[in-house]
């Protein structure tokens, strides 16, 4: 059986044109998907033999797992909920409700990737657009500190570089592509212009570009250690001001290097200045399939996009205090619920030591370092393969996920909903 218009929820492109072939109880083909998407469909579309719940490695039934996990969370003084970037927005919404009832912290993968973009957005505003506008209008594409050829393999072909658009009928020939990075990456081969800047100099380059766009003349000598010549800088500024519709896609090369949210603020301010000359926008290259969704869900429910604390009964936001690495490294969190993420494999060693030393509950569709280290692990079904749901594409457009296979496992939303109900009962006692 072939199912068309299926969404690949692996990366922030959330491509919704995948043709999935189902044979029996498994997915055997994922037409149109890139290599990452194919791997996601084939691995998640294969039956698993993991138990639905485990306590210290021993299989238990779902009720027992829920009860034990709810007790761990309800008894904690400062519980943490973390992850949520690869699950549905329905599950994210329940997780916010659980964090509020627990009076703990909720943080998502944003705090270790595009958190600085969220802070910059709140500081200076976000001049942005949709990927549909990029496809139909953009004649200048700037990738800054991102490598879409490897991280988002269909981004260039589906949205930004080669597609023919309403006002870009020539497709690739009608666009200029600029890549700014600290090293040549495979994406450089697709660029017309590659600008190699020195590590940690993004802010200086962005600020100088903003000055040029505002009609000022930055000090030539101050540009010497950025890696770019003055002519390269003025050439880029002229090209930006002279295009009809330009877009900067920023990656973690900008947000997770020296300057962080100052870098992204400088990029937003550059785009704001460019809009006095032409149409320009900026879109963060969000990694996981629904990491944009968790920012949206948290923001509409609490006002803040990540690192939210409920210990006083109302939401508070303070990156560096309520964010996962900081909470764990300082030894503050005393129980953790991790949903659809693998922090044990990705966070700094000090944070991982704390995470694996406290009662850890993990929900995931497959075995990971985190589920292996968890005191209580739940196996859940995959949103977009086994259950419907909603994800947000990197340009904040909600996309509805289809179901293509049945699963014996509950969804993340089901498990979190049951945890929420049980925690409420325990707190009422
Ligand atoms: S680009 Fe991303 S969303 Fe699209 S098929 Fe590849 S992994 Fe999936």
């Amino acid at each position: 059986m072939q199912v068309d218009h299926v969404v690949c929820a692996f990366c922030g492109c959330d491509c919704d044109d995948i043709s999935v072939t189902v044979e029996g109880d498994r997915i055997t083909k994922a037409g149109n998907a890139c290599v990452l998407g194919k791997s996601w469909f084939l691995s998640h579309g294969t039956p698993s033999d993991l138990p639905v719940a485990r306590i210290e490695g021993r299989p238990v039934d779902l009720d027992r797992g829920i009860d034990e996990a709810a007790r761990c969370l309800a008894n904690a003084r400062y519980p943490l909920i973390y992850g949520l970037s690869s699950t549905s927005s329905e599950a994210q919404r329940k997780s916010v409700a659980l964090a509020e009832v627990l009076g703990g912290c909720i943080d998502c993968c944003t705090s270790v990737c595009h958190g600085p973009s969220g802070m910059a957005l709140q500081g200076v505003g976000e001049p942005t657009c949709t990927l549909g506008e990029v496809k139909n209008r953009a004649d200048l594409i700037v990738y800054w500190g991102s490598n879409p050829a490897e991280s988002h393999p269909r981004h260039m072909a589906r949205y930004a570089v080669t597609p023919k658009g309403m006002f870009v009928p020539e497709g690739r020939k009608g666009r200029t592509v600029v890549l700014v990075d600290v090293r040549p990456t495979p994406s450089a081969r697709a660029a017309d212009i590659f600008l190699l800047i020195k590590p940690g100099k993004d802010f200086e380059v962005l600020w100088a570009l903003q000055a040029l766009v505002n009609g000022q003349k930055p000090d030539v000598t101050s540009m010497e250690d950025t890696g770019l010549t003055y002519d390269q800088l003025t050439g880029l500024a002229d090209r930006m001001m002279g295009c009809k519709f330009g877009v900067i896609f920023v990656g973690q090369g900008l947000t997770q290097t020296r300057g962080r949210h100052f870098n992204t603020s400088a990029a937003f301010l550059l785009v704001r200045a460019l809009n006095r000359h032409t149409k320009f926008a900026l879109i963060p290259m969000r990694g996981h399939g629904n990491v944009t969704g968790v920012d949206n869900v948290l923001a509409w429910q609490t006002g803040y996009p990540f690192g939210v604390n409920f210990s006083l009964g109302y939401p508070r936001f303070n990156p560096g205090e309520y964010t996962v690495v900081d909470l764990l490294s300082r030894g503050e969190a005393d129980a953790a619920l991790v949903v659809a993420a693998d922090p044990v494999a990705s966070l700094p060693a000090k944070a991982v030591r704390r995470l694996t030393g406290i009662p850890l509950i993990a929900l995931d569709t497959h075995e990971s370092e985190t589920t292996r280290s968890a005191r209580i692990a739940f196996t859940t079904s995959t949103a977009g393969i086994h259950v419907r749901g909603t994800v947000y594409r990197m340009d904040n457009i909600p996309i509805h996920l289809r179901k293509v296979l049945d699963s014996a496992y509950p969804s993340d939303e089901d498990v979190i909903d049951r945890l929420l109900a049980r925690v409420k009962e325990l707190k009422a006692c």
Side-chain angles (χ1 to χ4, degrees):
M1 177 182 70
Q2 181 170 314
V3 189
D4 295 327
H5 309 300
V6 177
V7 178
C8 172
F10 181 75
C11 87
C13 286
D14 290 309
C15 300
D16 57 359
D17 61 344
I18 311 297
S19 294
V20 166
T21 304
V22 177
E23 291 178 19
D25 59 357
R26 64 192 61 215
I27 292 171
T28 54
K29 280 190 199 140
N32 290 338
C34 69
V35 61
L36 300 177
K38 277 194 174 77
S39 163
W40 184 75
F41 276 107
L42 298 192
S43 61
H44 288 78
T46 302
S48 162
D49 55 6
L50 287 170
V52 66
R54 284 167 285 166
I55 298 177
E56 287 167 356
R58 287 188 301 279
V60 295
D61 64 26
L62 185 59
D63 291 345
R64 171 86 203 287
I66 296 276
D67 186 63
E68 188 70 19
R71 285 179 192 281
C72 286
L73 292 170
N75 290 336
R77 294 184 65 225
Y78 201 8
L80 166 69
I81 299 177
Y82 174 71
L84 300 161
S85 57
S86 297
T87 189
S88 68
S89 288
E90 289 77 2
Q92 294 164 348
R93 190 181 55 177
K94 300 278 181 190
S95 302
V96 179
L98 179 58
E100 186 172 8
V101 168
L102 288 168
C105 271
I106 181 164
D107 193 21
C108 57
C109 304
T110 294
S111 79
V112 290
C113 63
H114 272 278
S117 303
M119 293 164 68
L121 180 162
Q122 294 198 328
V124 301
E126 183 185 36
T128 192
C129 68
T130 67
L131 289 173
E133 288 175 278
V134 175
K135 176 185 169 183
N136 283 306
R137 294 177 184 276
D139 59 344
L140 176 64
I141 303 292
V142 181
Y143 287 107
W144 198 302
S146 76
N147 176 16
E150 291 186 314
S151 60
H152 302 73
R154 295 186 75 209
H155 190 272
M156 290 180 171
R158 190 164 150 77
Y159 302 113
V161 176
T162 51
K164 293 183 176 160
M166 205 179 297
F167 301 101
V168 202
E170 292 181 294
R172 177 67 183 91
K173 284 190 197 143
R175 304 182 205 264
T176 303
V177 179
V178 179
L179 183 78
V180 184
D181 214 333
V182 296
R183 64 186 172 90
T185 63
S187 300
R189 286 198 289 274
D192 300 296
I193 301 165
F194 174 52
L195 297 175
L196 183 70
I197 63 170
K198 292 209 174 139
K201 293 295 175 187
D202 302 85
F203 181 85
E204 286 81 349
V205 174
L206 287 161
W207 211 253
L209 282 170
Q210 191 193 151
L212 286 165
V213 169
N214 284 332
Q216 295 151 354
K217 195 167 184 291
D219 178 8
V220 180
T221 54
S222 70
M223 291 295 98
E224 280 167 1
D225 62 348
T226 62
L228 298 186
T229 64
Y230 195 73
D231 284 349
Q232 283 176 310
L233 266 178
T234 51
L236 180 56
D238 289 345
R239 198 175 283 280
M240 287 172 147
M241 288 187 283
C243 74
K244 288 191 189 138
F245 192 114
V247 185
I248 304 180
F249 289 100
V250 300
Q252 288 186 53
L254 194 68
T255 62
Q256 291 298 325
T257 52
R258 190 172 70 98
R260 293 175 185 249
H261 60 286
F262 290 109
N263 292 342
T264 330
S265 297
F268 280 142
L269 290 171
L270 168 62
V271 170
R272 187 197 287 178
L274 282 162
N275 275 288
R276 285 197 283 272
H277 300 270
T278 183
K279 295 285 276 184
F280 228 99
L282 184 150
I283 299 180
M285 292 288 283
R286 304 309 306 274
H288 297 287
N290 200 21
V291 68
T292 307
V294 66
D295 294 5
N296 274 282
V297 170
L298 269 166
W300 84 54
Q301 299 217 336
T302 72
Y304 308 114
F306 65 97
V308 179
N309 176 293
F310 282 104
S311 51
L312 294 185
Y314 55 85
R316 290 181 297 160
F317 174 61
N318 195 9
E321 186 176 6
Y322 306 137
T323 34
V324 64
V325 173
D326 312 280
L327 269 174
L328 290 171
S329 300
R330 287 194 303 264
E332 292 174 355
D334 59 352
L337 169 66
V338 173
V339 183
D342 192 7
V344 172
S346 55
L347 293 187
K350 197 170 175 190
V352 170
R353 269 200 298 281
R354 179 67 182 181
L355 185 61
T356 52
I358 58 179
L360 171 60
I361 300 145
L363 270 65
D364 216 331
T365 55
H366 55 277
E367 192 75 307
S368 69
E369 289 296 314
T370 301
T371 58
R372 268 190 282 273
S373 308
R375 180 161 168 213
I376 305 161
F378 295 94
T379 310
T380 52
S381 52
T382 303
I385 292 182
H386 306 116
V387 280
R388 294 183 181 87
T390 311
V391 291
Y392 281 70
R393 209 167 58 184
M394 64 168 72
D395 55 348
N396 294 303
I397 297 295
I399 310 263
H400 294 289
L401 301 176
R402 299 189 67 173
K403 170 185 169 172
V404 292
L405 277 181
D406 289 328
S407 170
Y409 298 114
S411 65
D412 291 334
E413 185 189 1
D414 291 337
V415 174
I416 297 163
D417 202 28
R418 292 191 58 184
L419 279 174
L420 177 60
R422 186 69 187 119
V423 165
K424 280 182 180 169
E425 284 172 7
L426 292 166
K427 291 263 182 195
C429 293

